[in-house]
Amino acid sequence: MLPAILIATANRHKTDEFRALLAGRATVDDLHDHPSVGQAEETGAPFAENSALKAVAAARASGRPAVADDSGLEVDALGGAPGVWSSRYAGPDADDRANRAKLLADLERVGATDPE
């Protein structure tokens, strides 16, 4: 019997990546399979801290080994923004389109979108 690992994400693409990495070594579930676990609040500053917060919260809530990752854009022209706030850069309820629009507007503001 393979060990079971909980991926602390609701992103199906990330789950599929973990399944491919762990194929034949572990079974993989995510937060869709464990709705009572919920998503941890991402209050960490570096990506690694947010990953740890999510993994620990999922493991405690589920009683299973859990892993998580965190990612985002760090744009030099914007002083590293949006960083860990990439998914909510345009606000807490923003979608990808709104986040991209804000990013492009901020790049224009600092003159970083000149194609030359």
Side-chain angles (χ1 to χ4, degrees), residues 77-78 81 89 100-113:
L78 299 176
Y89 191 51
R100 284 191 302 270
K102 177 171 174 38
L103 178 65
L104 291 173
D106 288 352
L107 287 169
E108 282 185 22
R109 182 180 44 79
V110 299
T113 60

Side-chain angles (χ1 to χ4, degrees), residues 20-109:
L21 287 168
L22 298 171
R25 294 185 297 260
T27 61
V28 173
D29 291 335
D30 64 19
L31 297 180
H32 291 285
D33 302 307
H34 300 271
S36 64
V37 171
Q39 292 192 19
E41 189 174 346
E42 297 179 31
T43 57
F47 295 115
E49 189 174 319
N50 271 341
S51 295
L53 288 169
K54 292 189 285 189
V56 168
R60 285 183 179 154
S62 69
R64 297 179 54 189
V67 297
D69 76 327
D70 197 30
S71 62
L73 300 172
E74 292 184 328
V75 181
D76 289 344
L78 299 176
V84 296
W85 299 277
S86 294
S87 66
R88 52 198 182 274
Y89 191 51
D93 297 320
D95 60 10
D96 288 343
R97 182 180 303 240
N99 289 326
R100 284 191 302 270
K102 177 171 174 38
L103 178 65
L104 291 173
D106 288 352
L107 287 169
E108 282 185 22
R109 182 180 44 79

